[in-house]
Structures are given as C-alpha cells and as structure tokens.
Amino acid sequence: MIVLGISAFYHDSAAALVRDGEIVAAAQEERFTRKKHDARFPENAIRYCLREAGVDGEKVDRVAYYEKPFVKFDRLLETYLAFAPKGFSSFRKAMPLWMNEKLFQRDLLQKALSALDPALGGADKLLFSEHHFSHAASAFYPSPFPRSAVLTMDGVGEWTTTSLSLGNGSDLSITKEIHFPHSLGLLYSAFTYYTGFKVNSGEYKVMGLAPYGEPKYASLIFEHLIDVKPDGSFRLNMDYFDYCTGLRMTGAEFDALFGAPARTPEQPLEQRHMDLAASIQAVTEEIVLRLARSIAQETGEKNLCLAGGVALNCVANGKLLREKIFDGLFIQPAAGDAGGALGAALAAYHLQEGGARRISGDRDAMKGSYLGPAYDQADTERELERIGARFSVVDEDGLIEETARALASQQAVGWRQGRLEFGPRALGGSSILADPRSPKMQKNLNLKVKFRESFRPFAPSVLRERVSDWFEMEGDSPYMLLVADVKESRRREMTQDEQDLFGIDKLNIVRSDIPAVTHVDYSARIQTVHEDTNPRYHRLLSRFEALTGCPVLVNTSFNVRGEPIVTTPQDAFRCFMGSDLDFLAVGNCVLRKQDQDQSLAKSYESAFELD
C-alpha cells in the first residue's frame, strides 16, 4: 500500500511517501522553489516523492493531509467572538482568504492533485488527519520503541498547542491536550518577536542568544505571563499578548512589563535582549521538564517521543536527556510542520488502513533523515558543465583525501553528497564544513560565508564512536537535536577578565580545543555521524581525524542566511561562487574557488530575504 502525505498552506509545505509502512521519500517544497518556508501546495515535492518511489498517481492508494481546515476555521471564529469587538481589523483581513480558499481546501487540494496527476485527485483517496495527531504519528511510528508516550508542543494546530499521546504497536491515541490561546510555542515566539527576530524562523536565534545572557526575567515571566502547575500544564495571561486579536505577538502591557518597546531588526542587540533570551529559554526548559516528569509518573511509560516546533529546542532536549526521566528518547528530525506530512501518511497507513508496524530495533526508521533527492554522477557533471563550472572528477578515495586536506588547511568547504536531508538541519548531505580547531572560524563563517549574525553558534559533527571522547554525551544524536557540553578535558578555563566580558564580546575567546563549535557556555549542538546511514561523511570525518587528531567538523547548512538548503548541483555552485567558500565537493566533482571563472561570481549577500 502506498500513502502520500501532504502539509501545506501555513508554512514549510512538504510531501512524504510511505510504502507498506516504510518511509520512501520526504522533502520540503522550499528546497525546489528556493523560497524559504514556502507554504504553497507542494507540487514539486510531490513529483519528487512519486519519482523516487517509481509510481504514478494510479498506484497511490491514499493521500493524507496533515490537519483539518474546518476545525481551524472554527478556532478563528470562536477566538474572534471571545474577544470581539477587539481585533476586528485582523479578523476582517483574515476572512477573505478563509472564505475564498481555506474553507474549500478539500476542493483546492483535489484540483491541485488532479492537475499533477488525475488519478491523485479522487475524492475517495483524500483523508484529513489532525495537526497534533500528525505530529505525534511522525514521532512515534518511526521511533525504535514498541510503546511510548508522545509529547507534542508547537504554536497551535487546529485548537491544540500541547498534547500527550500513547503509542503501542500500531495503535496511537491522544489522551490529553492544552488548547489555544495557551501555547508554549507562541510564548517563545512572543519573545522572538519582542527581541527583534522573525516569528516562525527566528526562534532558534533566541535559543542561540540565550547563553550570552542571564535569566534575570524568568521570575517576572512566571509571575505575570504564565501560570505553570507542578505537572507542567499552564495558562497564559492574555492581557500581555496580542496574537489573538492583533497582527503583533505582544502588546503595550508586555512592553510596560519589560520596560521598553519591542526591538526592531535594525536596532543593535543589547545585554537586556540577551537576558530576555536566557529567561524565556529557562522558562521553556522548566516547563518541558515538568511535563516530562508528570508524563512518566502518570503513564508509567519508559520511552518518550517528541514532535512539534518546540521539539526543535535542542537545549531543552539535552536537559531532558540528562535528567534521565525516560530510558529512551526519540525526537522527530522534521519536528515542525513539514514533518506533519510524514505523520499524516503514517497515521493513514497504520490506523486508517490497519497496516502493521515494523520496528527496526535500536535504530529509528528515518534512515538518517536522508529522504530527499540525490543526483547521479552523470547528471552532476552535465549540470556543472552547462553552467560553466571548472571541476575535476575523482574517485571516492580521491574525494575524501582532497576534501579532508582542504579542511585541515582551514578552508571552508561546500559538501553536497547523496540524498538531501528532510527537516531543518544539514546532516552531511548538504553541508558547509570547516575545521573546528580554528579560533576564527565561527566569526568568519557567520560574516563571510553565511552572511548572518556573528553571535550564532555552529554545530559539530563527530564520529559516533568518538563522541564521548569530546563531549559529555554517551549516546546517539544523529539529528543534531541534543545539546551537551564539551568534555572538561577539552576545555580551556577562562580568566576572570574574560568571564567579565560583555555579551557577544565573549565570542572570540578560545574556550576549548574546538573553539569554532564551543558556545560561550561550553555547550555544543551535537550530530553523531554513523557509518551505516552516511558512510561517505563518516569516511571524511575519519580521514580528517587521521590528518589532525580531531574527529570533529564544523557542520552548518549549505546556504546563506534566508536561503533554503541547496538541493541541485547548480544551487551548490551558485552558493559557492556567491560566498567565501574555498572548496566545493558535489558528488565526485571537486571545485576550487581560484580555478573558477570569476565572472560567474554573483553577489549573494542580498539575494534572499533575511530570516
């Protein structure tokens, strides 16, 4: 049985295809359209999934959509009635879109599917899941656990913002929910907005900014903004928020509480913004830990799965892991709305169609999250020749050797190999790589390659078998969703003068043997690289270790700020030529910046809308 899953029309549209319960393909629409967080119908992602599976619409048994639009419309109406007449202007702006499109989403979906392939658009094929159930299914069914509790947390689905589900074999059911407007995700987004970053894309910047500050406002948040019970359940004080009725996240009362209006993106970051980031991060971690403890106590389950946008908060995830509340922890790598497409497909297969669940044992079923498109060597060479790139073709041994030596000489490397990652993280399929031992690498990559804020940390990729030699971690972290500290023996103790530095001035202080991936609090967002899921990347790390003694590389997504992760060889070459990357490896093709026709270099710094 073949099930196609779709998420669309809010943000991060995606498609996923499941055959007899096995995940065959999954991709976000943005990777094809080059529009960050593209919310449009994912026609390119669907075409890719069908092509990867080798099927047409006739062979697809079910098409599953990740949420229920009518229930979401019910929330919009009830919210307006609850707050009326306040918020009429935003309600008036939303109504035409709902009346013209979203209320008729079944028809819209069927027409769009039929335009791709008439056999896809049949009314008998289309199913609708619920938003949080899709999240829960995306986490539980690929997990390695026969049974598990499942915690989902995000901004809002139809009504639900937080849910607890229980999974056992092929069965999955939601047992508890917290409803809109009370939302941990929207609380975090309110601080994202207030500190001057873009909602739905800047939350990870707040998380990265937090270690530069102190949680001075945490008690103020608990006292005025959110009432949290011992079991982690919560209610927000809506007097301070404007997202129910306005077009902003926060209102005048919020500004008054924290003593200033919201920062605009152009204004400089100050210490208070870092302290605000540290405060909302501390509050989020406390709520997640309370929820987890109460779930373990109430359900008796030994394993926990996580999904929803809040599950991308890898700092909170790392603390949850270290608390050892559960024996096993699995986090869906595409935890946001894109992963809802996969969850809808899996829920349809297992629950609607009664398909049996096959558990892979110790490893999850996400295949390293390498579920997107790949390009064979012949196609890669043809594409690079067409666009005027100058390259040499080497065998795999040569590719590994030349790339490892470029890295060891502290060159910045673009690395596009194999299938593209599904989800927001680059995991060695489409990555920018660098030497973590360089004290200047973090700042240089941020400012000259990624064109982004200098305070943002980079993540390390490390050989799975060597992770405990370099970090305070023993287990797997294949999806870069867990934070742990650099091992104490690898750290350099900071002087008192260095510790007293202001905020971002701490950035350039060497704090460990791998300063480019060591955040100011000695933490790192770790990806463990496994030989079975990405053998070529594992070989590269192994060779780099042989050359340098270090089994760690800087790994950041292959893009510039505001650009989706590169997909095609042309995307990779364009980014290579438009930034200060020195070396590019695409398939078995090797390119060096000094060899290229410099007339092909285009300014990339302003090519994409900033995130």
Side-chain angles (χ1 to χ4, degrees):
M1 167 163 285
I2 294 175
V3 182
L4 176 69
I6 298 171
S7 65
F9 307 129
Y10 183 47
H11 59 87
D12 295 307
S13 294
L17 189 140
V18 172
R19 177 190 279 127
D20 296 332
E22 179 187 2
I23 305 166
V24 175
Q28 293 111 293
E29 184 69 2
E30 67 164 27
R31 305 292 164 83
F32 305 94
T33 64
R34 315 309 300 153
K35 178 180 172 61
K36 190 78 168 173
H37 304 301
D38 199 338
R40 293 171 292 183
F41 179 76
E43 57 178 294
N44 296 287
I46 292 171
R47 285 195 184 98
Y48 156 68
C49 288
L50 296 175
R51 187 169 62 250
E52 185 68 34
V55 300
D56 58 17
E58 195 70 41
K59 298 286 178 64
V60 175
D61 298 286
R62 294 287 191 182
V63 179
Y65 187 66
Y66 81 127
E67 64 180 12
K68 295 185 175 179
F70 272 108
V71 183
K72 185 171 274 192
F73 181 64
D74 175 65
R75 168 173 54 87
L76 183 73
L77 286 177
E78 286 200 32
T79 300
Y80 170 66
L81 290 172
F83 288 89
K86 186 180 178 184
F88 176 72
S89 61
S90 60
F91 177 78
R92 183 181 60 193
K93 290 177 181 178
M95 275 301 96
L97 180 62
W98 275 97
M99 298 306 294
N100 291 331
E101 291 184 13
K102 301 202 175 200
L103 270 181
F104 305 100
Q105 224 158 68
R106 175 182 283 275
D107 291 341
L108 183 66
L109 284 166
Q110 286 179 303
K111 287 177 182 177
L113 288 163
S114 296
L116 279 177
D117 186 325
L120 281 176
D124 58 327
K125 286 190 177 182
L126 187 57
L127 302 172
F128 290 82
S129 181
E130 290 185 350
H131 186 105
H132 268 254
F133 195 82
S134 296
H135 277 319
S138 77
F140 174 64
Y141 288 121
S143 79
F145 310 134
R147 57 182 297 151
S148 175
V150 187
L151 176 61
T152 69
M153 304 166 287
D154 66 2
V156 61
E158 294 87 358
W159 274 104
T160 306
T161 67
T162 305
S163 73
L164 167 63
S165 302
L166 295 177
N168 187 356
S170 295
D171 294 327
L172 179 67
S173 60
I174 294 177
T175 63
K176 284 187 175 183
E177 296 178 336
I178 297 173
H179 285 176
F180 181 87
H182 309 292
S183 167
L184 183 56
L186 290 175
L187 175 66
Y188 206 96
S189 291
F191 279 86
T192 302
Y193 168 84
Y194 187 70
T195 51
F197 302 114
K198 187 178 289 188
V199 171
N200 288 331
S201 68
E203 284 76 7
Y204 57 92
K205 298 183 186 180
V206 176
M207 184 178 66
L209 190 63
Y212 293 98
E214 298 292 333
K216 296 178 179 178
Y217 301 100
S219 59
L220 206 61
I221 295 171
F222 281 123
E223 183 179 347
H224 292 277
L225 299 187
I226 186 167
D227 177 24
V228 186
K229 302 303 182 187
D231 66 355
S233 60
F234 55 85
R235 290 182 64 84
L236 299 186
N237 182 346
M238 297 310 300
D239 291 342
Y240 292 92
F241 302 93
D242 204 26
Y243 56 77
C244 286
T245 59
L247 300 176
R248 304 184 308 162
M249 292 300 297
T250 62
E253 291 84 354
F254 197 100
D255 295 352
L257 181 65
F258 294 105
R263 171 182 168 264
T264 64
E266 299 79 22
Q267 291 176 320
L269 283 166
E270 300 172 352
Q271 186 62 51
R272 65 182 301 271
H273 300 120
M274 302 171 201
D275 295 338
L276 285 162
S279 301
I280 188 56
Q281 180 63 35
V283 168
T284 299
E285 292 164 9
E286 176 62 22
I287 294 171
V288 170
L289 290 175
R290 287 192 197 183
L291 285 166
R293 291 188 193 105
S294 69
I295 289 169
Q297 185 174 6
E298 290 176 20
T299 67
E301 295 293 340
K302 303 300 183 186
N303 302 305
L304 180 68
C305 300
L306 296 176
V310 177
L312 294 172
N313 192 307
C314 51
V315 179
N317 296 341
K319 291 200 172 182
L320 179 58
L321 180 71
R322 290 190 293 278
E323 287 283 314
K324 299 182 178 178
I325 299 168
F326 292 91
D327 294 342
L329 179 66
F330 173 72
I331 308 157
Q332 166 55 241
D337 278 9
L342 176 60
L346 290 168
Y349 174 74
H350 290 294
L351 296 175
Q352 177 74 22
E353 303 300 329
R357 180 171 174 239
R358 292 174 298 195
I359 301 168
S360 55
D362 292 338
R363 299 297 296 275
D364 64 74
M366 288 297 295
K367 302 179 180 179
S369 210
Y370 306 112
L371 298 169
Y375 295 85
D376 66 26
Q377 184 62 27
D379 287 342
T380 298
E381 291 178 29
R382 278 194 296 270
E383 186 67 12
L384 291 175
E385 287 171 354
R386 184 186 67 80
I387 58 181
R390 296 169 181 168
F391 61 92
S392 58
V393 179
V394 295
D395 60 14
E396 181 162 324
D397 288 344
L399 176 76
I400 298 300
E401 185 66 24
E402 291 192 36
T403 307
R405 289 193 177 277
L407 289 163
S409 64
Q410 299 194 358
Q411 295 182 51
V413 170
W415 175 259
R416 177 67 186 96
Q417 304 289 330
R419 295 184 70 177
L420 193 66
E421 301 90 340
F422 180 52
R425 304 287 179 238
L427 302 169
S430 189
S431 294
I432 291 173
L433 308 176
D435 187 343
R437 301 169 303 158
S438 168
K440 297 181 180 179
M441 190 61 71
Q442 180 192 23
K443 186 174 182 180
N444 289 344
L445 284 178
N446 269 327
L447 298 180
K448 295 183 178 181
V449 176
K450 300 284 283 187
F451 305 123
R452 69 185 199 181
E453 302 93 342
S454 63
F455 70 83
R456 289 168 59 180
F458 286 106
S461 290
V462 58
L463 292 171
R464 168 61 185 91
E465 54 270 31
R466 298 296 309 280
V467 63
S468 61
D469 295 336
W470 289 79
F471 303 98
E472 301 290 351
M473 174 181 281
E474 297 289 341
D476 297 347
S477 180
Y479 303 122
M480 208 181 281
L481 287 171
L482 294 168
V483 163
D485 288 342
V486 173
K487 202 169 185 70
E488 197 163 343
S489 60
R490 305 286 181 181
R491 300 182 200 173
R492 170 190 169 273
E493 187 175 350
M494 295 172 67
T495 67
Q496 188 59 53
D497 287 344
E498 290 170 341
Q499 293 177 28
D500 291 340
L501 287 171
F502 166 79
I504 293 175
D505 290 337
K506 297 177 182 178
L507 176 69
N508 297 321
I509 302 301
V510 174
R511 293 173 297 280
S512 77
D513 295 341
I514 43 175
V517 294
T518 305
H519 209 358
V520 294
D521 58 353
Y522 291 104
S523 68
R525 176 164 50 95
I526 297 166
Q527 180 204 1
T528 52
V529 178
H530 301 248
E531 187 173 13
D532 59 332
T533 55
N534 197 334
R536 181 169 281 195
Y537 191 34
H538 190 276
R539 280 196 66 192
L540 178 63
L541 276 158
S542 298
R543 183 57 186 149
F544 183 75
E545 181 185 24
L547 291 173
T548 66
C550 178
V552 182
L553 286 172
V554 176
N555 176 12
T556 186
S557 55
F558 195 166
N559 59 352
V560 299
R561 181 183 174 193
E563 178 191 20
I565 293 174
V566 304
T567 300
T568 67
Q570 182 178 1
D571 295 337
F573 182 73
R574 188 187 300 118
C575 189
F576 171 62
M577 292 300 293
S579 66
D580 277 357
L581 287 172
D582 304 298
F583 184 99
L584 176 62
V586 187
N588 283 56
C589 299
V590 170
L591 300 84
R592 291 175 172 80
K593 182 64 67 64
Q594 68 266 23
D595 297 337
Q596 305 307 312
D597 178 355
Q598 293 307 304
S599 69
L600 298 176
K602 305 293 183 185
S603 175
Y604 222 55
E605 188 169 358
S606 57
F608 294 91
E609 180 183 353
L610 297 183
D611 60 3

